[in-house]
Amino acid sequence: MARLENKIALITGAGAGIGRACALAFAREGAKIAALARRSDPLESLVAEITKQGGEALAVTADVTNSEEIELAVKAAVDRFGPFHILVNSAGIPFIGTAESTSETDWNRVLSVNLTGTFLVSRAAIPVLRQAGGGSIVNLGSVYGLVARRERAAYAASKGGVTLLTQAMALDHAAENIRVNCICPALVETELMNRIFEHAPDPAAARRAREAELPLGRLGKPEDVAALALYLASDESSWMTGAAIPLDGGLSAS
């Protein structure tokens, strides 16, 4: 039996990177996927790939910072598949800047997507998970939500908020069999991260410098994160809630 047989998952940020990798991994393990992102084209490509592999998926466009759009997206997922058992909050954006150099506009944007977006989607999803008899919320935080880094003031604040939001929700909903855990990756080699490297004066040197920070000597892959998300979404982790798990190539241990 597949690890997520007869399960339904709503995954935000599913158009690319970690969210897309989670959607593909979950579908391979038998889950029906409601894939959410702001743009429809990447979602349609994802749904086509899952369908080609024999799975079922629905593309839902919504902005995680817009509560009305989120409510409609959750309703669309339930209307198609029934109450879902899994939520993966993968939508997020990076930002580089100190407290002094970060504008109020940028601060609000980073907090709105990374932290408020996680809250809004979770708030809309919890009644559905309760209706399903319980389930698992997997939040995508960051190692910089556990330890700080220079020039990451807004980003670290947003991801630190995700870490504590995870723990608070875990306590609030444990009695309802709703588990909430947080994955805290270091730098993951997504399309977005590759574009950031490409804009460096020396892209190859910039990549080597970041790799050198990691004891395991390489950047993470979206599939690395998806593998842990799959464990947290499955019944294999049925006695785990409120955890914030570093997935960082050894960075936080060094």
Side-chain angles (χ1 to χ4, degrees), residues 134-164:
S136 175
I137 298 175
V138 181
N139 293 328
L140 265 296
S142 168
V143 67
Y144 301 127
L146 301 174
V147 297
R149 180 185 176 89
R150 290 184 175 88
E151 298 188 328
R152 298 296 188 281
Y155 185 76
S158 71
K159 292 299 189 177
V162 170
T163 299
L164 269 295

Side-chain angles (χ1 to χ4, degrees), residues 214-234:
L214 304 171
L216 286 181
R218 70 168 177 88
L219 305 181
K221 299 177 182 178
E223 292 76 17
D224 294 322
V225 185
L228 181 52
L230 177 58
Y231 169 72
L232 294 173
S234 76

Side-chain angles (χ1 to χ4, degrees), residues 4-194:
L4 299 181
E5 194 75 32
N6 300 319
K7 300 291 187 181
I8 301 159
L10 174 65
I11 302 174
T12 75
I18 292 169
R20 182 183 178 89
C22 288
L24 291 170
F26 286 22
R28 284 193 297 268
E29 290 294 336
K32 298 175 183 178
I33 306 298
L36 186 151
R38 287 185 303 158
R39 296 186 297 118
S40 61
D41 288 351
L43 291 179
E44 296 298 342
S45 171
L46 172 65
V47 168
E49 185 171 350
I50 290 173
T51 303
K52 184 178 180 181
Q53 295 175 358
E56 293 186 59
L58 170 71
V60 186
T61 55
D63 184 337
V64 298
T65 68
N66 186 311
S67 59
E68 292 181 0
E69 291 186 12
I70 290 303
E71 293 287 348
L72 290 173
V74 167
K75 183 179 185 301
V78 174
D79 286 347
R80 171 68 179 273
F81 295 126
F84 49 83
H85 313 84
I86 301 160
L87 168 64
V88 179
N89 281 307
S90 182
I93 56 173
F95 187 78
I96 296 174
T98 66
E100 184 180 22
S101 67
T102 299
S103 70
E104 187 174 351
T105 297
D106 285 332
W107 172 271
N108 289 337
R109 179 172 61 91
V110 173
L111 270 290
S112 180
V113 175
N114 292 354
L115 179 54
T116 304
T118 298
F119 156 68
L120 290 175
V121 179
S122 297
R123 186 180 66 176
I126 284 168
V128 179
L129 293 168
R130 186 183 297 121
Q131 186 181 355
S136 175
I137 298 175
V138 181
N139 293 328
L140 265 296
S142 168
V143 67
Y144 301 127
L146 301 174
V147 297
R149 180 185 176 89
R150 290 184 175 88
E151 298 188 328
R152 298 296 188 281
Y155 185 76
S158 71
K159 292 299 189 177
V162 170
T163 299
L164 269 295
L165 176 62
T166 296
Q167 295 176 346
M169 291 196 302
L171 295 176
D172 287 338
H173 301 287
E176 299 172 296
N177 193 35
I178 296 172
R179 300 183 297 106
V180 192
N181 293 288
C182 182
I183 302 174
C184 302
L187 190 63
V188 176
E189 193 168 4
T190 62
E191 299 92 327
L192 178 59
M193 288 298 103
N194 285 332

